[in-house]
Amino acid sequence: MTDFRSRCIAPEPLAGLFCAIPHPTGVEICAATGPDFLCLDGEHAPIDRERAEEMIRAAQLHRVPVIMRVPGHLPDSIAGALDSGADGVLVPRVSTADEARAAVAATRYPPVGVRGVGPGRAAGFGYRIPDYLATANSRILLAIQAETPGALENIEEISTVEGVDVIFIGPGDLGVTLGALGPEGRPKLMAAITRITKVSRAAGKAVGMFCASPDEVQGWRELGITFFLIGNDARHLADAAGAAVARAREG
Ligand code: 3PY
């Protein structure tokens, strides 16, 4: 079976979900629906290290690849997710090539990077360290988020950083940081997304996008985007619950 990182790089179209409910049950419910991957939201949801490990375990029970959005690009933000067994990380707010290179280094063992060796869950709690060390550098996915004016300006340099696999666009943050909000801001936001996508694809990187709704996917695919995160578990639950109650009240 082709590993998850190879499928992302190919790039194969992939549909994933954010998991923001900080509990393994939410992950199991999402995993049971058969997404291509899950992404635990360690940037915006209250997921501590121990809970992240339980959530990763829940995804793996269903053989669904799982990555974690970490709080930043430095090793102390990234090590815990990988040692807990995540298949990769999504790193927010990468605005320069130096920050992208720091993220690459944090996800790779020496001599390529600076990741520290630990007998964590990923390495069978020490039992499988040699196997894990031999394969981790080539298996771990690194997706970085382009969501700031700096990323837009520096995308030529960022997209050529070796070891970055996916450039993931955060349209919410990009819109806010560019001051491109609402219908009036749409042309500016679209121009920014188009530039990031075209430059990144020309550099051979896969491009990802957050979509609040699956209806957005087709349009982005036509632009060359393949790696999608469609909403999050909390929002899907709220939408379904809200719709059920409204429907019941209609009689
Ligand atoms: C954004 O839209 O800015 C995101 O980061 C999606 O989670």
Side-chain angles (χ1 to χ4, degrees), residues 198-219:
K198 293 218 156 121
V199 171
S200 302
R201 290 299 298 128
K205 303 297 188 199
V207 178
M209 174 64 82
F210 174 76
C211 297
S213 154
D215 299 339
E216 298 168 24
V217 168
Q218 187 52 37

Side-chain angles (χ1 to χ4, degrees), residues 6-44:
S6 305
R7 294 176 65 201
C8 297
I9 293 173
E12 211 178 280
L14 298 170
L17 301 166
F18 266 122
C19 293
I21 298 174
H23 198 278
T25 301
V27 174
E28 249 205 289
I29 292 168
C30 290
T33 67
D36 292 313
F37 69 105
L38 294 174
C39 181
L40 313 186
D41 194 356
E43 182 193 13
H44 291 302

Side-chain angles (χ1 to χ4, degrees), residues 96-146:
T96 65
D98 277 348
E99 289 174 357
R101 278 189 281 272
V104 173
T107 57
R108 305 291 197 278
Y109 287 120
V112 183
V114 298
R115 184 177 169 193
V117 179
R121 181 175 174 272
F125 299 98
Y127 188 68
R128 288 200 309 267
I129 280 186
D131 286 354
Y132 186 74
L133 286 181
T135 59
N137 279 5
S138 62
R139 262 194 335 95
I140 294 297
L141 178 81
L142 174 59
I144 60 166
Q145 283 196 238

